[in-house]
Amino acid sequence: MATASAPGKIILFGEHAVVYGRPALAVPVTQVHADVEVADSPRAGIWIHAPDIALHAELASLPPDHALGAAVRSVFAALGVSPFPPLEIRITSTIPVASGLGSGAAVTVAILRALSSMIHSPLSNGEINSLAYEIEKLHHGTPSGIDNTVVAYARPVYFVRGQPIEPFKVGAPFTLVIADTGISAPTKESVGDVRKLWEADKPKWEKVFDQIGEISEAARTAIERGKTDELGPLMDSNHALLQTLTVSSPELDHLTEIARKSGADGAKLSGGGRGGNLIALVEKYNAAHIAESLLSAGAKRTIITEIA
Ligand code: PMV
């Protein structure tokens, strides 16, 4: 038997602009995770059980673009394993789906890790990352690759599309409240809508992407130097630019405002937007109070996490 776990993630700065080559910062969130267990099977075939989505199916019965099936097939293809051994694969996850917490990437990474160690050929983080990127395309259409990268390496990353990953150091720990609007919003749609805007007026939106990229750069410097007091205003500015990109929503705007009014130093949506999660920068002593305020104002779930 083999098991593997992969964390959730949040994007701190730079979502959407990262699709257009600007830098973004993302960190793992270990409070939520995807877990995969692989065992030899007494029956023929590879059986995939994902009780959270009521899936119990034999691999061959899944369409080629099914993300779970594709993840399983990609391990065997990468390792040249044929015919496939009979296996039972059980997938569970505590990461809410379609909410910007990287659930798709985490499930994929956990499948790749568990399967490759089951067949005694554990893949490196880099190999896992490359395979997971291919599967992300099934989830997202034109993903930047940031989700699979932060989840595969399970450490804070400064990410620029197509460039080698750059982990960054956190000079002084800081606390975030992650709050879920409860609205599930597929990233594929918001990314597609931003592309339509960009195609209609490239110079205008390139400028916005530049501004977001500058915010990511400034945030990286502040985080590395331990100047976390500089991050709140950067979050607020990043949120405002995401609003102009039309990827915020009334709920995200309302909850970011509630977070600020309850004492957060800054707040922004995180990930694809339109729904999903927001993040608020808080003082540790105030985190529980701000999380409560967000829940009273309609957030469906909150996570308090320390970035260290
Ligand atoms: O919604 P999430 O957390 O999967 O994040 C998507 C981030 C985007 O920049 C909007 C898209 C991408 O592929 O980078």
Side-chain angles (χ1 to χ4, degrees):
M1 191 167 111
T3 59
S5 185
K9 72 98 212 349
I10 43 161
I11 297 182
L12 295 179
F13 293 95
E15 49 275 273
H16 288 287
V18 70
V19 175
Y20 299 83
R22 282 20 171 232
L25 306 180
V27 291
V29 176
T30 50
Q31 283 94 340
V32 286
H33 40 89
D35 297 280
V36 172
E37 209 179 273
V38 184
D40 287 321
S41 177
R43 54 180 168 173
I46 293 187
W47 290 84
I48 301 177
H49 307 278
D52 302 339
I53 54 167
L55 177 85
H56 299 278
E58 207 282 308
L59 179 62
S61 72
L62 296 175
D65 63 348
H66 191 285
L68 300 181
V72 173
R73 287 192 193 97
S74 78
V75 178
F76 293 130
L79 296 172
V81 175
S82 178
F84 298 170
L87 296 171
E88 303 283 330
I89 302 174
R90 190 181 150 76
I91 302 161
T92 53
S93 174
T94 59
I95 310 173
V97 293
S99 65
L101 284 171
S103 112
V107 166
T108 301
V109 165
I111 290 175
L112 301 178
R113 260 205 194 110
L115 265 183
S116 64
S117 61
M118 181 72 188
I119 51 183
H120 307 293
S121 306
L123 295 164
S124 68
N125 286 342
E127 289 167 323
I128 297 264
N129 190 24
S130 309
L131 293 178
Y133 179 59
E134 295 308 311
I135 311 297
E136 279 291 281
K137 290 183 187 163
L138 300 175
H139 286 292
H140 279 350
T142 54
S144 64
I146 189 168
D147 279 23
N148 46 279
T149 303
V150 67
V151 169
Y153 288 89
R155 56 195 296 189
V157 294
Y158 167 91
F159 180 87
V160 180
R161 190 173 189 163
Q163 291 186 14
I165 83 139
E166 270 186 62
F168 65 92
K169 73 174 179 26
V170 178
F174 55 95
T175 306
L176 296 175
V177 176
I178 304 171
D180 194 342
T181 58
I183 298 166
S184 117
T187 297
K188 209 170 182 166
E189 276 171 28
S190 63
V191 168
D193 290 348
V194 170
R195 185 155 298 269
K196 281 183 209 143
L197 287 180
W198 177 73
E199 271 161 3
D201 188 346
K202 290 185 187 170
K204 172 177 174 182
W205 297 108
E206 285 289 329
K207 250 185 242 154
V208 172
F209 298 146
D210 280 342
Q211 286 172 287
I212 295 177
E214 280 157 25
I215 289 174
S216 294
E217 293 290 357
R220 176 185 176 165
T221 308
I223 292 171
E224 291 196 316
R225 294 189 180 152
K227 300 199 164 195
T228 46
D229 55 314
E230 290 173 12
L231 294 179
L234 291 170
M235 280 189 180
D236 293 342
S237 309
N238 196 162
H239 185 75
L241 290 164
L242 289 163
Q243 285 173 319
T244 69
L245 278 172
T246 76
V247 296
S248 191
S249 69
E251 296 79 8
L252 284 164
D253 290 343
H254 175 60
L255 291 175
T256 46
E257 210 35 55
I258 293 287
R260 293 183 197 109
K261 283 196 180 130
S262 325
D265 297 323
K268 64 180 278 294
L269 71 86
S270 176
R274 299 270 166 83
N277 281 277
L278 59 112
I279 53 176
L281 179 71
V282 303
E283 301 297 333
K284 210 172 185 172
Y285 75 88
N286 214 5
H289 161 70
I290 294 171
E292 274 306 316
S293 306
L294 287 164
L295 289 169
S296 309
K300 296 295 175 285
R301 184 185 312 106
T302 57
I303 298 170
I304 297 171
T305 187
E306 192 177 54
I307 311 302

